[in-house]
Amino acid sequence: MQTHEPVLSNDLLHRCAERCAGYDRDNRFFQEDFAELKQAGYLTMAVPRELGGRGLTLAQVCREQRRLAYHAPATALGINMHVYWTGLVADLWRQGDKSMEWLLKEAMAGEVFNAGHSERGNDLPVLLSTSKAEKVEGGFRFTGHKMFGTLAPVFTRYGLHAMWADAEGGPKIVHAFMPRDTASSRIVKTWDTMGMRATSSDDVVLEGAFVPDRYIARIVPAGGADAFVLGIFAWALLGFANVYCGVAKRAIDLILPAIKQKSSLGLGRSMAYHPEIQHSVAAMTMAFDPIAPHIEQVAEDWSNGVDHGATWPAKIVSAKHHAVEACWKIVDLAMELSGGAGMFRSNELERLFRDAADSIRRTRS
């Protein structure tokens, strides 16, 4: 396992943690967090050192994301949408594919990337699309309605995909990066949700928006995948898995001291001595302990170029599924153990519960 100096200081992480409740309450984007993360080089940590970044691998970035998510879940989830683009392109760059070096250079210049893969009625995002790509001179025009446009207030390059139905040889998926100020595209403010509220994941509507050829990243057969597409799943899903691992750890660390402080007239001492309370704590611990080793191993294998062949997609999805399901179980138990206190908005567990519920909804929908 390769080690590295943490990108973010403890003081910065504590400031992010202090702002969480306000962002959530006001349904406001994590603007101050974003500014500090950008200043600290967090947005370019995956860019190769040769191009000015820190050159962190997927496994190393995942550890950073887990650490940030422990303090500020929505901030970590939101920033993952930018980091996974730089990470997967950095992997391709190291493997000799320099076709998207421009993205890494733009990231170093301050451009912010996000993802436009979610669509109503599309249960196979990235691989298929309900959006339309039309080939025109010098590029493509895109038409469609995208959901969950995380980082809506700050992105400058919108990563999207759409179906090129009449492509020669059969339908193809076109992957592109659309500059924010592109005509015939608009952001629709829709984000007022139960959990992960600070991500500001608004809709994006494309009405024949033109993207020039220089921003066309990949064209692959519909339903197919290449190293670029597989990299999207690896960097995005393992990043998400580590976010929810961080949430689960935070829930445990909040509830254990709270249990010790709860008195019991029936026991005559702390509720920590109640056998059912102890049983629930044991269940939380057993659910949590396997999460990090699982996602760590998959991320390390990816970073070290282990050849899992056709089983790579299953390994990636399994790790993310495991983390999300375990996180939900842990936060749900923590809320139960908190009693009435957990229902109050002033209790951090209440927010973590909603954030975890958001993850389970996305995974099972």
Side-chain angles (χ1 to χ4, degrees):
M1 181 176 71
Q2 293 181 326
T3 59
H4 64 280
E5 288 295 320
V7 178
L8 305 178
S9 69
N10 288 331
D11 286 345
L12 193 158
L13 290 170
H14 291 153
R15 288 194 295 274
C16 290
E18 289 170 356
R19 291 187 284 253
C20 276
Y23 292 147
D24 178 77
R25 181 186 61 249
D26 300 336
N27 194 32
R28 183 166 63 89
F29 179 65
F30 55 89
Q31 188 66 57
E32 295 84 359
D33 288 4
F34 180 81
E36 289 208 58
L37 293 175
K38 191 172 185 179
Q39 180 66 32
Y42 200 79
L43 276 66
T44 57
M45 62 183 169
V47 175
R49 290 183 180 275
E50 296 90 331
L51 298 177
R54 292 176 180 261
L56 300 193
T57 66
L58 173 58
Q60 292 170 328
V61 167
C62 282
R63 291 178 211 124
E64 292 289 334
Q65 282 288 80
R66 198 185 316 163
R67 187 166 172 251
L68 176 58
Y70 179 88
H71 294 85
T75 296
L77 185 68
I79 218 70
N80 198 63
M81 302 301 183
H82 169 88
V83 172
Y84 83 65
W85 285 125
T86 59
L88 78 90
V89 174
D91 277 350
L92 295 173
W93 188 89
R94 283 187 286 265
Q95 293 162 13
D97 180 353
K98 302 296 199 294
S99 62
M100 294 185 65
E101 183 177 275
W102 63 266
L103 185 147
L104 300 172
K105 290 181 175 179
E106 286 203 354
M108 290 305 303
E111 304 295 348
V112 179
F113 296 81
N114 85 331
H117 299 311
S118 296
E119 303 161 326
R120 290 182 178 87
N122 181 9
D123 56 348
L124 289 173
V126 180
L127 300 178
L128 298 176
S129 181
T130 60
S131 297
K132 174 185 175 182
E134 176 190 5
K135 186 71 180 85
V136 295
E137 184 177 355
F140 283 84
R141 290 196 179 278
F142 293 91
T143 302
H145 189 142
K146 300 286 188 174
M147 303 166 60
F148 304 136
T150 305
L151 302 180
V154 295
F155 80 78
T156 62
R157 299 289 183 267
Y158 186 67
L160 63 93
H161 76 294
M163 181 77 75
W164 182 13
D166 58 355
E168 184 177 351
K172 290 181 171 58
I173 296 296
V174 180
H175 296 270
F177 290 90
M178 182 187 73
R180 184 184 183 93
D181 58 357
T182 298
S184 301
S185 69
R186 55 192 172 91
I187 297 171
V188 181
K189 291 190 176 299
T190 54
W191 196 249
D192 189 4
T193 55
M194 176 174 61
M196 294 295 179
R197 288 163 60 80
T199 62
S200 293
S201 303
D202 293 318
D203 289 10
V204 174
V205 177
L206 309 169
E207 299 166 321
F210 175 75
V211 178
D213 285 330
R214 70 176 181 275
Y215 284 131
I216 304 300
R218 281 292 192 280
I219 300 176
V220 297
D226 65 351
F228 173 83
V229 173
L230 183 59
I232 292 175
F233 285 105
W235 278 83
L237 298 190
L238 290 173
F240 297 151
N242 279 274
V243 167
Y244 291 106
C245 181
V247 170
K249 174 62 173 169
R250 180 62 179 165
I252 292 172
D253 287 350
L254 285 173
I255 197 59
L256 291 184
I259 291 171
K260 295 177 182 178
Q261 295 170 9
K262 291 182 68 174
S263 60
S264 168
L265 290 177
L267 290 174
R269 52 182 176 172
S270 167
M271 284 292 288
Y273 291 91
H274 194 292
E276 284 304 312
I277 297 292
Q278 294 173 349
H279 178 82
S280 294
V281 170
M284 292 172 65
T285 303
M286 289 189 291
F288 178 77
D289 282 349
I291 306 176
H294 186 182
I295 56 182
E296 184 84 23
Q297 186 61 60
V298 176
E300 282 285 355
D301 282 0
W302 180 271
S303 300
N304 294 326
V306 175
D307 184 9
H308 288 301
T311 66
W312 258 122
K315 288 186 177 295
I316 294 165
V317 172
S318 171
K320 191 258 188 177
H321 178 83
H322 180 194
V324 168
E325 291 286 339
C327 174
W328 171 244
K329 178 179 180 178
I330 290 164
V331 176
D332 188 37
L333 279 170
M335 178 65 85
E336 182 178 327
L337 292 173
S338 73
M343 296 188 296
F344 287 85
R345 287 296 177 96
S346 58
N347 191 319
E348 186 180 346
L349 269 175
E350 188 272 343
R351 173 171 49 79
L352 293 181
F353 182 83
R354 289 185 286 105
D355 286 347
D358 176 89
S359 76
I360 210 72
R361 178 190 58 77
R362 291 174 187 249
T363 298
R364 295 177 180 174
S365 62

